[in-house]
Amino acid sequence: MIHRRRAIALLGVSLASLRLPLRALAEPQADDAGEPSDRVVRALARINSYRDAAGVSPAGLDPALMRSAGGHVAYYEQNLDAGMAGLGLHQQAPERPGFTGVTMGERASAAGYSGRPVTELAGFGGLVAAVDWAMDTVNHRLPLIHPSALVMGLAESVTSGFNVIAVGLQRGLSYAQLPSFCPADGASNVPLHWDGGETPDPAPDLPRPLGYPITACFGLGQKVEWQALELRGPDDQPVEATVRETPWMSAAALIPHEPLVHSTSYVIKLSARVDGAGSSRETAFQTR
């Protein structure tokens, strides 16, 4: 049985904070010559390894988004008394020191980024750990592996551990190989379950633990009418799951209601009308 939901103002307005263990960090985002720090380089490499597995092009660093992310980290450091938490981690107040823009879009524009749209991830812990955490979620995974998310800016605090990944999405790409999937076709050692621990909660009415979430993405700006997105297990039996659509990103997530079975093959089946034409795909993965 497939249960369908729509993500209302999910990533277009804000992505919630990711809660990782707090620890001090000790590196700026760039050296004196403007080259990105080793931490930023490692985090981008981790993102691109996930993108490669999903079959989408690598992302690169954008100087303006780097400034935007760094400015927001600096704002947080100067306003530790402001009680920034949850979705509030993405907002700034004009009267506060270090202000660079109320929203992520305003901050990117102020830093010189002219593209649209912009979204971001914000939270605590090392950047690489933040990326790994996000990839095991529904909402936070999406901008990291979206086929249209080709430029990013990464920053982290040297004291609090606060980090930001600003993401710029671009339209008008070649969509011949889409949709992309996570887990990717042929993936092995896929986790069995997910604790659902992110804000906003993509499956608020379901008991935990859930099955490991699945993401399908078309290109930004493509009009997608989802007809079926389902998971099939042994003997082609359907797995009960909820479909969570994110229309502005032309994407959807499939959230199994129960943990998947150890060392088992699963098939993802998708059918949709995309820009008025029919599209169908089947991919498979193996659990750990």
Side-chain angles (χ1 to χ4, degrees), residues 18 29 40 43 65-74 76 84 89-90 92 104 107 119-127 130 152-157 161-167:
L18 38 118
Q29 277 55 255
V40 168
L65 292 178
M66 290 288 289
R67 290 191 294 271
S68 177
H72 194 43
V73 168
Y76 178 86
M84 295 171 65
L89 283 174
H90 299 282
Q92 294 187 13
M104 58 190 78
R107 294 190 291 273
T119 188
E120 71 179 21
L121 284 71
F124 298 89
L127 278 167
M152 300 185 182
L154 292 75
E156 60 186 7
S157 167
F162 182 61
N163 63 68
V164 171
I165 302 175
V167 181

PDB file of all heavy atoms in Angstrom, residues 18 29 40 43 65-74 76 84 89-90 92 104 107 119-127 130 152-157 161-167:
ATOM      1  N   LEU A  18      20.596  19.821  11.523  1.00  0.00           N
ATOM      2  CA  LEU A  18      20.976  18.453  11.803  1.00  0.00           C
ATOM      3  C   LEU A  18      21.741  18.450  13.112  1.00  0.00           C
ATOM      4  O   LEU A  18      22.589  19.280  13.349  1.00  0.00           O
ATOM      5  CB  LEU A  18      21.817  17.850  10.685  1.00  0.00           C
ATOM      6  CG  LEU A  18      22.841  18.706   9.979  1.00  0.00           C
ATOM      7  CD1 LEU A  18      24.230  18.132  10.181  1.00  0.00           C
ATOM      8  CD2 LEU A  18      22.499  18.730   8.509  1.00  0.00           C
ATOM      9  N   GLN A  29      37.769  28.411   6.503  1.00  0.00           N
ATOM     10  CA  GLN A  29      37.245  27.835   5.263  1.00  0.00           C
ATOM     11  C   GLN A  29      38.226  27.943   4.096  1.00  0.00           C
ATOM     12  O   GLN A  29      38.112  27.206   3.121  1.00  0.00           O
ATOM     13  CB  GLN A  29      35.941  28.544   4.883  1.00  0.00           C
ATOM     14  CG  GLN A  29      34.721  28.009   5.601  1.00  0.00           C
ATOM     15  CD  GLN A  29      34.825  28.000   7.108  1.00  0.00           C
ATOM     16  OE1 GLN A  29      35.006  26.929   7.679  1.00  0.00           O
ATOM     17  NE2 GLN A  29      34.736  29.138   7.759  1.00  0.00           N
ATOM     18  N   VAL A  40      36.904  21.534   3.997  1.00  0.00           N
ATOM     19  CA  VAL A  40      35.940  21.823   2.942  1.00  0.00           C
ATOM     20  C   VAL A  40      36.172  20.902   1.751  1.00  0.00           C
ATOM     21  O   VAL A  40      35.225  20.354   1.172  1.00  0.00           O
ATOM     22  CB  VAL A  40      36.025  23.304   2.522  1.00  0.00           C
ATOM     23  CG1 VAL A  40      35.259  23.565   1.233  1.00  0.00           C
ATOM     24  CG2 VAL A  40      35.496  24.210   3.637  1.00  0.00           C
ATOM     25  N   ALA A  43      34.905  17.447   2.568  1.00  0.00           N
ATOM     26  CA  ALA A  43      33.445  17.387   2.596  1.00  0.00           C
ATOM     27  C   ALA A  43      32.859  17.416   1.188  1.00  0.00           C
ATOM     28  O   ALA A  43      31.921  16.667   0.879  1.00  0.00           O
ATOM     29  CB  ALA A  43      32.885  18.544   3.427  1.00  0.00           C
ATOM     30  N   LEU A  65      28.699  31.548  -2.861  1.00  0.00           N
ATOM     31  CA  LEU A  65      28.045  30.688  -1.880  1.00  0.00           C
ATOM     32  C   LEU A  65      28.978  30.356  -0.719  1.00  0.00           C
ATOM     33  O   LEU A  65      28.517  30.174   0.422  1.00  0.00           O
ATOM     34  CB  LEU A  65      27.547  29.411  -2.546  1.00  0.00           C
ATOM     35  CG  LEU A  65      26.394  29.597  -3.544  1.00  0.00           C
ATOM     36  CD1 LEU A  65      26.021  28.261  -4.190  1.00  0.00           C
ATOM     37  CD2 LEU A  65      25.176  30.219  -2.864  1.00  0.00           C
ATOM     38  N   MET A  66      30.285  30.308  -0.982  1.00  0.00           N
ATOM     39  CA  MET A  66      31.247  30.154   0.111  1.00  0.00           C
ATOM     40  C   MET A  66      31.170  31.350   1.057  1.00  0.00           C
ATOM     41  O   MET A  66      31.161  31.201   2.284  1.00  0.00           O
ATOM     42  CB  MET A  66      32.664  29.998  -0.439  1.00  0.00           C
ATOM     43  CG  MET A  66      32.928  28.675  -1.142  1.00  0.00           C
ATOM     44  SD  MET A  66      33.035  27.274   0.000  1.00  0.00           S
ATOM     45  CE  MET A  66      34.613  27.614   0.804  1.00  0.00           C
ATOM     46  N   ARG A  67      31.092  32.564   0.481  1.00  0.00           N
ATOM     47  CA  ARG A  67      30.972  33.768   1.327  1.00  0.00           C
ATOM     48  C   ARG A  67      29.652  33.772   2.082  1.00  0.00           C
ATOM     49  O   ARG A  67      29.603  34.151   3.262  1.00  0.00           O
ATOM     50  CB  ARG A  67      31.088  35.024   0.457  1.00  0.00           C
ATOM     51  CG  ARG A  67      32.484  35.270  -0.109  1.00  0.00           C
ATOM     52  CD  ARG A  67      32.597  36.650  -0.726  1.00  0.00           C
ATOM     53  NE  ARG A  67      31.760  36.812  -1.906  1.00  0.00           N
ATOM     54  CZ  ARG A  67      32.143  36.530  -3.151  1.00  0.00           C
ATOM     55  NH1 ARG A  67      33.369  36.045  -3.366  1.00  0.00           N
ATOM     56  NH2 ARG A  67      31.332  36.714  -4.177  1.00  0.00           N
ATOM     57  N   SER A  68      28.591  33.352   1.419  1.00  0.00           N
ATOM     58  CA  SER A  68      27.287  33.318   2.070  1.00  0.00           C
ATOM     59  C   SER A  68      27.285  32.354   3.248  1.00  0.00           C
ATOM     60  O   SER A  68      26.819  32.690   4.346  1.00  0.00           O
ATOM     61  CB  SER A  68      26.221  32.906   1.050  1.00  0.00           C
ATOM     62  OG  SER A  68      24.952  32.784   1.658  1.00  0.00           O
ATOM     63  N   ALA A  69      27.807  31.142   3.030  1.00  0.00           N
ATOM     64  CA  ALA A  69      27.864  30.162   4.117  1.00  0.00           C
ATOM     65  C   ALA A  69      28.760  30.651   5.252  1.00  0.00           C
ATOM     66  O   ALA A  69      28.412  30.546   6.430  1.00  0.00           O
ATOM     67  CB  ALA A  69      28.368  28.826   3.580  1.00  0.00           C
ATOM     68  N   GLY A  70      29.930  31.210   4.893  1.00  0.00           N
ATOM     69  CA  GLY A  70      30.835  31.721   5.918  1.00  0.00           C
ATOM     70  C   GLY A  70      30.235  32.863   6.704  1.00  0.00           C
ATOM     71  O   GLY A  70      30.419  32.973   7.925  1.00  0.00           O
ATOM     72  N   GLY A  71      29.489  33.738   6.024  1.00  0.00           N
ATOM     73  CA  GLY A  71      28.840  34.845   6.716  1.00  0.00           C
ATOM     74  C   GLY A  71      27.796  34.374   7.699  1.00  0.00           C
ATOM     75  O   GLY A  71      27.635  34.952   8.788  1.00  0.00           O
ATOM     76  N   HIS A  72      27.065  33.322   7.341  1.00  0.00           N
ATOM     77  CA  HIS A  72      26.030  32.826   8.253  1.00  0.00           C
ATOM     78  C   HIS A  72      26.658  32.141   9.465  1.00  0.00           C
ATOM     79  O   HIS A  72      26.150  32.262  10.584  1.00  0.00           O
ATOM     80  CB  HIS A  72      25.110  31.870   7.513  1.00  0.00           C
ATOM     81  CG  HIS A  72      23.843  31.578   8.249  1.00  0.00           C
ATOM     82  ND1 HIS A  72      23.100  32.547   8.901  1.00  0.00           N
ATOM     83  CD2 HIS A  72      23.173  30.404   8.451  1.00  0.00           C
ATOM     84  CE1 HIS A  72      22.043  32.000   9.475  1.00  0.00           C
ATOM     85  NE2 HIS A  72      22.067  30.698   9.221  1.00  0.00           N
ATOM     86  N   VAL A  73      27.767  31.430   9.252  1.00  0.00           N
ATOM     87  CA  VAL A  73      28.484  30.835  10.388  1.00  0.00           C
ATOM     88  C   VAL A  73      28.988  31.938  11.313  1.00  0.00           C
ATOM     89  O   VAL A  73      28.867  31.841  12.542  1.00  0.00           O
ATOM     90  CB  VAL A  73      29.634  29.951   9.891  1.00  0.00           C
ATOM     91  CG1 VAL A  73      30.564  29.564  11.048  1.00  0.00           C
ATOM     92  CG2 VAL A  73      29.086  28.688   9.223  1.00  0.00           C
ATOM     93  N   ALA A  74      29.547  33.006  10.734  1.00  0.00           N
ATOM     94  CA  ALA A  74      30.043  34.118  11.549  1.00  0.00           C
ATOM     95  C   ALA A  74      28.907  34.786  12.320  1.00  0.00           C
ATOM     96  O   ALA A  74      29.074  35.179  13.487  1.00  0.00           O
ATOM     97  CB  ALA A  74      30.749  35.136  10.661  1.00  0.00           C
ATOM     98  N   TYR A  76      26.176  33.329  13.411  1.00  0.00           N
ATOM     99  CA  TYR A  76      25.843  32.451  14.521  1.00  0.00           C
ATOM    100  C   TYR A  76      26.819  32.646  15.672  1.00  0.00           C
ATOM    101  O   TYR A  76      26.418  32.736  16.846  1.00  0.00           O
ATOM    102  CB  TYR A  76      25.850  30.989  14.064  1.00  0.00           C
ATOM    103  CG  TYR A  76      25.557  30.027  15.193  1.00  0.00           C
ATOM    104  CD1 TYR A  76      24.247  29.705  15.530  1.00  0.00           C
ATOM    105  CD2 TYR A  76      26.587  29.461  15.937  1.00  0.00           C
ATOM    106  CE1 TYR A  76      23.972  28.836  16.573  1.00  0.00           C
ATOM    107  CE2 TYR A  76      26.317  28.596  16.987  1.00  0.00           C
ATOM    108  CZ  TYR A  76      25.014  28.286  17.299  1.00  0.00           C
ATOM    109  OH  TYR A  76      24.748  27.442  18.355  1.00  0.00           O
ATOM    110  N   MET A  84      19.196  30.543  18.657  1.00  0.00           N
ATOM    111  CA  MET A  84      18.952  29.975  17.325  1.00  0.00           C
ATOM    112  C   MET A  84      18.912  28.455  17.421  1.00  0.00           C
ATOM    113  O   MET A  84      19.851  27.836  17.918  1.00  0.00           O
ATOM    114  CB  MET A  84      20.035  30.427  16.356  1.00  0.00           C
ATOM    115  CG  MET A  84      20.042  31.921  16.077  1.00  0.00           C
ATOM    116  SD  MET A  84      21.516  32.428  15.132  1.00  0.00           S
ATOM    117  CE  MET A  84      21.231  31.554  13.577  1.00  0.00           C
ATOM    118  N   LEU A  89      17.693  28.194  12.785  1.00  0.00           N
ATOM    119  CA  LEU A  89      19.107  28.259  12.419  1.00  0.00           C
ATOM    120  C   LEU A  89      19.320  28.856  11.035  1.00  0.00           C
ATOM    121  O   LEU A  89      20.428  29.239  10.693  1.00  0.00           O
ATOM    122  CB  LEU A  89      19.733  26.858  12.465  1.00  0.00           C
ATOM    123  CG  LEU A  89      20.069  26.296  13.847  1.00  0.00           C
ATOM    124  CD1 LEU A  89      20.529  24.859  13.719  1.00  0.00           C
ATOM    125  CD2 LEU A  89      21.136  27.139  14.530  1.00  0.00           C
ATOM    126  N   HIS A  90      18.269  28.936  10.239  1.00  0.00           N
ATOM    127  CA  HIS A  90      18.399  29.454   8.879  1.00  0.00           C
ATOM    128  C   HIS A  90      18.027  30.932   8.768  1.00  0.00           C
ATOM    129  O   HIS A  90      18.080  31.493   7.673  1.00  0.00           O
ATOM    130  CB  HIS A  90      17.513  28.652   7.933  1.00  0.00           C
ATOM    131  CG  HIS A  90      17.857  27.199   7.868  1.00  0.00           C
ATOM    132  ND1 HIS A  90      18.917  26.715   7.146  1.00  0.00           N
ATOM    133  CD2 HIS A  90      17.295  26.117   8.474  1.00  0.00           C
ATOM    134  CE1 HIS A  90      18.987  25.402   7.285  1.00  0.00           C
ATOM    135  NE2 HIS A  90      18.024  25.018   8.088  1.00  0.00           N
ATOM    136  N   GLN A  92      18.235  35.108  10.073  1.00  0.00           N
ATOM    137  CA  GLN A  92      18.987  36.154  10.755  1.00  0.00           C
ATOM    138  C   GLN A  92      18.063  37.333  11.060  1.00  0.00           C
ATOM    139  O   GLN A  92      17.070  37.548  10.364  1.00  0.00           O
ATOM    140  CB  GLN A  92      20.166  36.631   9.903  1.00  0.00           C
ATOM    141  CG  GLN A  92      21.250  35.603   9.678  1.00  0.00           C
ATOM    142  CD  GLN A  92      22.469  36.172   8.970  1.00  0.00           C
ATOM    143  OE1 GLN A  92      22.637  37.396   8.841  1.00  0.00           O
ATOM    144  NE2 GLN A  92      23.352  35.289   8.499  1.00  0.00           N
ATOM    145  N   MET A 104      18.179  32.558   3.459  1.00  0.00           N
ATOM    146  CA  MET A 104      19.328  32.008   2.736  1.00  0.00           C
ATOM    147  C   MET A 104      19.461  32.636   1.349  1.00  0.00           C
ATOM    148  O   MET A 104      20.575  32.867   0.876  1.00  0.00           O
ATOM    149  CB  MET A 104      19.217  30.487   2.659  1.00  0.00           C
ATOM    150  CG  MET A 104      17.972  29.972   1.996  1.00  0.00           C
ATOM    151  SD  MET A 104      17.745  28.174   2.194  1.00  0.00           S
ATOM    152  CE  MET A 104      17.121  28.086   3.873  1.00  0.00           C
ATOM    153  N   ARG A 107      20.965  36.137   1.742  1.00  0.00           N
ATOM    154  CA  ARG A 107      22.389  36.080   2.076  1.00  0.00           C
ATOM    155  C   ARG A 107      23.228  35.731   0.846  1.00  0.00           C
ATOM    156  O   ARG A 107      24.310  36.282   0.640  1.00  0.00           O
ATOM    157  CB  ARG A 107      22.623  35.058   3.198  1.00  0.00           C
ATOM    158  CG  ARG A 107      21.991  35.453   4.519  1.00  0.00           C
ATOM    159  CD  ARG A 107      22.437  34.567   5.649  1.00  0.00           C
ATOM    160  NE  ARG A 107      21.947  33.202   5.569  1.00  0.00           N
ATOM    161  CZ  ARG A 107      20.777  32.797   6.056  1.00  0.00           C
ATOM    162  NH1 ARG A 107      19.959  33.658   6.629  1.00  0.00           N
ATOM    163  NH2 ARG A 107      20.413  31.517   5.974  1.00  0.00           N
ATOM    164  N   THR A 119      19.167  26.830  -1.453  1.00  0.00           N
ATOM    165  CA  THR A 119      18.739  26.223  -0.202  1.00  0.00           C
ATOM    166  C   THR A 119      19.979  25.946   0.638  1.00  0.00           C
ATOM    167  O   THR A 119      21.106  26.213   0.197  1.00  0.00           O
ATOM    168  CB  THR A 119      17.909  24.951  -0.464  1.00  0.00           C
ATOM    169  OG1 THR A 119      17.344  24.486   0.763  1.00  0.00           O
ATOM    170  CG2 THR A 119      18.766  23.863  -1.080  1.00  0.00           C
ATOM    171  N   GLU A 120      19.805  25.444   1.844  1.00  0.00           N
ATOM    172  CA  GLU A 120      20.981  25.194   2.682  1.00  0.00           C
ATOM    173  C   GLU A 120      20.698  24.134   3.726  1.00  0.00           C
ATOM    174  O   GLU A 120      19.543  23.857   4.075  1.00  0.00           O
ATOM    175  CB  GLU A 120      21.448  26.484   3.374  1.00  0.00           C
ATOM    176  CG  GLU A 120      20.538  26.974   4.471  1.00  0.00           C
ATOM    177  CD  GLU A 120      21.050  28.244   5.155  1.00  0.00           C
ATOM    178  OE1 GLU A 120      21.875  28.972   4.579  1.00  0.00           O
ATOM    179  OE2 GLU A 120      20.587  28.515   6.278  1.00  0.00           O
ATOM    180  N   LEU A 121      21.776  23.534   4.215  1.00  0.00           N
ATOM    181  CA  LEU A 121      21.759  22.683   5.389  1.00  0.00           C
ATOM    182  C   LEU A 121      22.539  23.408   6.472  1.00  0.00           C
ATOM    183  O   LEU A 121      23.566  24.027   6.174  1.00  0.00           O
ATOM    184  CB  LEU A 121      22.405  21.327   5.115  1.00  0.00           C
ATOM    185  CG  LEU A 121      21.611  20.298   4.318  1.00  0.00           C
ATOM    186  CD1 LEU A 121      21.485  20.696   2.864  1.00  0.00           C
ATOM    187  CD2 LEU A 121      22.265  18.918   4.424  1.00  0.00           C
ATOM    188  N   ALA A 122      22.085  23.316   7.702  1.00  0.00           N
ATOM    189  CA  ALA A 122      22.784  23.955   8.808  1.00  0.00           C
ATOM    190  C   ALA A 122      22.678  23.085  10.043  1.00  0.00           C
ATOM    191  O   ALA A 122      21.627  22.500  10.310  1.00  0.00           O
ATOM    192  CB  ALA A 122      22.204  25.342   9.093  1.00  0.00           C
ATOM    193  N   GLY A 123      23.775  22.982  10.791  1.00  0.00           N
ATOM    194  CA  GLY A 123      23.741  22.176  11.999  1.00  0.00           C
ATOM    195  C   GLY A 123      25.071  22.188  12.715  1.00  0.00           C
ATOM    196  O   GLY A 123      25.834  23.147  12.596  1.00  0.00           O
ATOM    197  N   PHE A 124      25.368  21.136  13.449  1.00  0.00           N
ATOM    198  CA  PHE A 124      26.549  21.099  14.305  1.00  0.00           C
ATOM    199  C   PHE A 124      27.347  19.817  14.078  1.00  0.00           C
ATOM    200  O   PHE A 124      26.788  18.751  13.891  1.00  0.00           O
ATOM    201  CB  PHE A 124      26.133  21.193  15.770  1.00  0.00           C
ATOM    202  CG  PHE A 124      25.428  22.475  16.095  1.00  0.00           C
ATOM    203  CD1 PHE A 124      24.049  22.565  15.970  1.00  0.00           C
ATOM    204  CD2 PHE A 124      26.135  23.599  16.479  1.00  0.00           C
ATOM    205  CE1 PHE A 124      23.395  23.749  16.250  1.00  0.00           C
ATOM    206  CE2 PHE A 124      25.486  24.785  16.750  1.00  0.00           C
ATOM    207  CZ  PHE A 124      24.106  24.861  16.638  1.00  0.00           C
ATOM    208  N   GLY A 125      28.663  19.950  14.126  1.00  0.00           N
ATOM    209  CA  GLY A 125      29.547  18.816  13.933  1.00  0.00           C
ATOM    210  C   GLY A 125      30.421  19.046  12.714  1.00  0.00           C
ATOM    211  O   GLY A 125      30.262  20.019  11.979  1.00  0.00           O
ATOM    212  N   GLY A 126      31.373  18.190  12.470  1.00  0.00           N
ATOM    213  CA  GLY A 126      32.241  18.333  11.323  1.00  0.00           C
ATOM    214  C   GLY A 126      31.472  18.240  10.018  1.00  0.00           C
ATOM    215  O   GLY A 126      30.444  17.566   9.926  1.00  0.00           O
ATOM    216  N   LEU A 127      31.981  18.892   8.973  1.00  0.00           N
ATOM    217  CA  LEU A 127      31.283  18.914   7.698  1.00  0.00           C
ATOM    218  C   LEU A 127      31.110  17.514   7.106  1.00  0.00           C
ATOM    219  O   LEU A 127      30.043  17.184   6.579  1.00  0.00           O
ATOM    220  CB  LEU A 127      32.028  19.813   6.708  1.00  0.00           C
ATOM    221  CG  LEU A 127      31.755  21.311   6.822  1.00  0.00           C
ATOM    222  CD1 LEU A 127      32.784  22.105   6.012  1.00  0.00           C
ATOM    223  CD2 LEU A 127      30.336  21.637   6.363  1.00  0.00           C
ATOM    224  N   ALA A 130      28.469  15.774   8.908  1.00  0.00           N
ATOM    225  CA  ALA A 130      27.178  16.356   8.564  1.00  0.00           C
ATOM    226  C   ALA A 130      26.666  15.792   7.240  1.00  0.00           C
ATOM    227  O   ALA A 130      25.473  15.496   7.091  1.00  0.00           O
ATOM    228  CB  ALA A 130      27.301  17.881   8.478  1.00  0.00           C
ATOM    229  N   MET A 152      27.983  24.808  -4.698  1.00  0.00           N
ATOM    230  CA  MET A 152      27.783  24.805  -3.257  1.00  0.00           C
ATOM    231  C   MET A 152      28.793  25.712  -2.577  1.00  0.00           C
ATOM    232  O   MET A 152      29.827  26.066  -3.145  1.00  0.00           O
ATOM    233  CB  MET A 152      27.914  23.385  -2.693  1.00  0.00           C
ATOM    234  CG  MET A 152      26.925  22.395  -3.272  1.00  0.00           C
ATOM    235  SD  MET A 152      27.022  20.755  -2.487  1.00  0.00           S
ATOM    236  CE  MET A 152      25.790  19.880  -3.461  1.00  0.00           C
ATOM    237  N   GLY A 153      28.475  26.077  -1.352  1.00  0.00           N
ATOM    238  CA  GLY A 153      29.399  26.777  -0.482  1.00  0.00           C
ATOM    239  C   GLY A 153      29.367  26.125   0.881  1.00  0.00           C
ATOM    240  O   GLY A 153      28.288  25.845   1.414  1.00  0.00           O
ATOM    241  N   LEU A 154      30.526  25.835   1.462  1.00  0.00           N
ATOM    242  CA  LEU A 154      30.609  25.121   2.732  1.00  0.00           C
ATOM    243  C   LEU A 154      31.396  25.948   3.732  1.00  0.00           C
ATOM    244  O   LEU A 154      32.419  26.555   3.391  1.00  0.00           O
ATOM    245  CB  LEU A 154      31.294  23.762   2.553  1.00  0.00           C
ATOM    246  CG  LEU A 154      30.573  22.671   1.759  1.00  0.00           C
ATOM    247  CD1 LEU A 154      30.622  22.949   0.259  1.00  0.00           C
ATOM    248  CD2 LEU A 154      31.178  21.303   2.043  1.00  0.00           C
ATOM    249  N   ALA A 155      30.946  25.951   4.981  1.00  0.00           N
ATOM    250  CA  ALA A 155      31.652  26.669   6.040  1.00  0.00           C
ATOM    251  C   ALA A 155      31.368  26.006   7.374  1.00  0.00           C
ATOM    252  O   ALA A 155      30.306  25.400   7.571  1.00  0.00           O
ATOM    253  CB  ALA A 155      31.236  28.135   6.071  1.00  0.00           C
ATOM    254  N   GLU A 156      32.317  26.144   8.305  1.00  0.00           N
ATOM    255  CA  GLU A 156      32.124  25.609   9.648  1.00  0.00           C
ATOM    256  C   GLU A 156      32.802  26.514  10.657  1.00  0.00           C
ATOM    257  O   GLU A 156      33.739  27.242  10.334  1.00  0.00           O
ATOM    258  CB  GLU A 156      32.662  24.186   9.750  1.00  0.00           C
ATOM    259  CG  GLU A 156      34.130  24.060   9.446  1.00  0.00           C
ATOM    260  CD  GLU A 156      34.596  22.603   9.425  1.00  0.00           C
ATOM    261  OE1 GLU A 156      33.751  21.700   9.510  1.00  0.00           O
ATOM    262  OE2 GLU A 156      35.810  22.390   9.329  1.00  0.00           O
ATOM    263  N   SER A 157      32.322  26.466  11.876  1.00  0.00           N
ATOM    264  CA  SER A 157      32.852  27.300  12.946  1.00  0.00           C
ATOM    265  C   SER A 157      34.131  26.711  13.525  1.00  0.00           C
ATOM    266  O   SER A 157      34.275  25.487  13.613  1.00  0.00           O
ATOM    267  CB  SER A 157      31.811  27.447  14.053  1.00  0.00           C
ATOM    268  OG  SER A 157      32.387  27.992  15.215  1.00  0.00           O
ATOM    269  N   GLY A 161      31.371  24.572  16.304  1.00  0.00           N
ATOM    270  CA  GLY A 161      31.052  23.422  15.467  1.00  0.00           C
ATOM    271  C   GLY A 161      29.886  23.653  14.535  1.00  0.00           C
ATOM    272  O   GLY A 161      29.505  22.759  13.778  1.00  0.00           O
ATOM    273  N   PHE A 162      29.291  24.853  14.554  1.00  0.00           N
ATOM    274  CA  PHE A 162      28.190  25.159  13.640  1.00  0.00           C
ATOM    275  C   PHE A 162      28.687  25.116  12.204  1.00  0.00           C
ATOM    276  O   PHE A 162      29.761  25.642  11.885  1.00  0.00           O
ATOM    277  CB  PHE A 162      27.637  26.548  13.964  1.00  0.00           C
ATOM    278  CG  PHE A 162      26.449  26.957  13.117  1.00  0.00           C
ATOM    279  CD1 PHE A 162      25.275  26.229  13.147  1.00  0.00           C
ATOM    280  CD2 PHE A 162      26.523  28.077  12.307  1.00  0.00           C
ATOM    281  CE1 PHE A 162      24.184  26.608  12.373  1.00  0.00           C
ATOM    282  CE2 PHE A 162      25.438  28.470  11.533  1.00  0.00           C
ATOM    283  CZ  PHE A 162      24.268  27.730  11.566  1.00  0.00           C
ATOM    284  N   ASN A 163      27.925  24.471  11.324  1.00  0.00           N
ATOM    285  CA  ASN A 163      28.330  24.395   9.922  1.00  0.00           C
ATOM    286  C   ASN A 163      27.159  24.656   8.992  1.00  0.00           C
ATOM    287  O   ASN A 163      25.985  24.440   9.348  1.00  0.00           O
ATOM    288  CB  ASN A 163      28.993  23.053   9.597  1.00  0.00           C
ATOM    289  CG  ASN A 163      28.063  21.880   9.775  1.00  0.00           C
ATOM    290  OD1 ASN A 163      27.100  21.723   9.038  1.00  0.00           O
ATOM    291  ND2 ASN A 163      28.354  21.033  10.771  1.00  0.00           N
ATOM    292  N   VAL A 164      27.475  25.146   7.796  1.00  0.00           N
ATOM    293  CA  VAL A 164      26.467  25.482   6.783  1.00  0.00           C
ATOM    294  C   VAL A 164      26.923  24.951   5.430  1.00  0.00           C
ATOM    295  O   VAL A 164      28.094  25.087   5.065  1.00  0.00           O
ATOM    296  CB  VAL A 164      26.252  27.010   6.699  1.00  0.00           C
ATOM    297  CG1 VAL A 164      25.372  27.375   5.502  1.00  0.00           C
ATOM    298  CG2 VAL A 164      25.632  27.542   7.986  1.00  0.00           C
ATOM    299  N   ILE A 165      26.005  24.353   4.700  1.00  0.00           N
ATOM    300  CA  ILE A 165      26.218  23.985   3.300  1.00  0.00           C
ATOM    301  C   ILE A 165      25.160  24.706   2.487  1.00  0.00           C
ATOM    302  O   ILE A 165      23.969  24.373   2.573  1.00  0.00           O
ATOM    303  CB  ILE A 165      26.127  22.468   3.072  1.00  0.00           C
ATOM    304  CG1 ILE A 165      27.138  21.722   3.944  1.00  0.00           C
ATOM    305  CG2 ILE A 165      26.354  22.135   1.594  1.00  0.00           C
ATOM    306  CD1 ILE A 165      27.027  20.202   3.870  1.00  0.00           C
ATOM    307  N   ALA A 166      25.570  25.743   1.743  1.00  0.00           N
ATOM    308  CA  ALA A 166      24.669  26.483   0.875  1.00  0.00           C
ATOM    309  C   ALA A 166      24.683  25.833  -0.502  1.00  0.00           C
ATOM    310  O   ALA A 166      25.746  25.507  -1.040  1.00  0.00           O
ATOM    311  CB  ALA A 166      25.110  27.942   0.784  1.00  0.00           C
ATOM    312  N   VAL A 167      23.498  25.644  -1.086  1.00  0.00           N
ATOM    313  CA  VAL A 167      23.368  24.884  -2.330  1.00  0.00           C
ATOM    314  C   VAL A 167      22.627  25.717  -3.369  1.00  0.00           C
ATOM    315  O   VAL A 167      21.521  26.206  -3.109  1.00  0.00           O
ATOM    316  CB  VAL A 167      22.605  23.562  -2.094  1.00  0.00           C
ATOM    317  CG1 VAL A 167      22.490  22.772  -3.386  1.00  0.00           C
ATOM    318  CG2 VAL A 167      23.288  22.732  -1.009  1.00  0.00           C
TER     319      VAL A 167
END
